[in-house]
Amino acid sequence: MTVRIWEGKTKIKHSDIYKNIIEKRDIPDYEKTDGFIKLIFLKRSDNDFTYFKLLTFWTDLNVITNFTGPNFEQAVAHEDDRKYLVDFPGNVSHYEVFKEKHSV
């Protein structure tokens, strides 16, 4: 299993708008992509910004291209992303999940 990690930030005033965009546009796109397993969507705020971190889990590194196209190391961008994100992240990180444990 491979995890893809994306990070971005918005101004506080755009936090709820961008959260809704991700919930309505991005999450359904992930869910309908072959090879997608699950996601964890995180956010935190300080006085100036809201920071987002999105972890998507995939069966392996190769299937991520079903979502991204051939350049899987580049962040997928939409017009709304560029409108609301500060310092749009160009790249994402990928890690192999070598162990996963859940408590009961």
Side-chain angles (χ1 to χ4, degrees):
M1 182 167 44
T2 300
V3 63
R4 176 181 171 89
I5 303 170
W6 172 90
E7 297 181 59
K9 69 180 180 182
T10 64
K11 294 180 181 178
I12 292 291
K13 67 182 180 181
H14 296 141
S15 175
D16 287 339
I17 295 168
Y18 196 68
K19 178 181 167 280
N20 288 333
I21 288 170
I22 289 178
E23 290 177 331
K24 291 182 174 141
R25 179 197 66 199
D26 295 339
I27 291 174
D29 283 349
Y30 286 116
E31 292 175 330
K32 68 183 178 186
T33 303
D34 289 338
F36 171 77
I37 298 172
K38 67 179 181 178
L39 62 80
I40 299 171
F41 185 31
L42 309 169
K43 75 178 185 108
R44 70 175 175 85
S45 297
D46 60 22
N47 292 330
D48 300 312
F49 299 104
T50 297
Y51 302 86
F52 294 95
K53 187 175 280 198
L54 178 61
L55 291 80
T56 53
F57 294 79
W58 304 85
T59 55
D60 60 58
L61 190 60
N62 295 327
V63 300
I64 293 172
T65 60
N66 294 335
F67 178 73
T68 64
N71 191 357
F72 65 89
E73 292 182 341
Q74 188 173 28
V76 175
H78 300 314
E79 191 62 36
D80 287 338
D81 297 324
R82 297 189 190 282
K83 182 176 177 182
Y84 295 113
L85 288 171
V86 177
D87 300 327
F88 184 80
N91 291 329
V92 297
S93 301
H94 298 91
Y95 290 84
E96 177 186 350
V97 177
F98 68 91
K99 180 73 173 173
E100 182 178 9
K101 179 148 174 87
H102 298 273
S103 62
V104 179

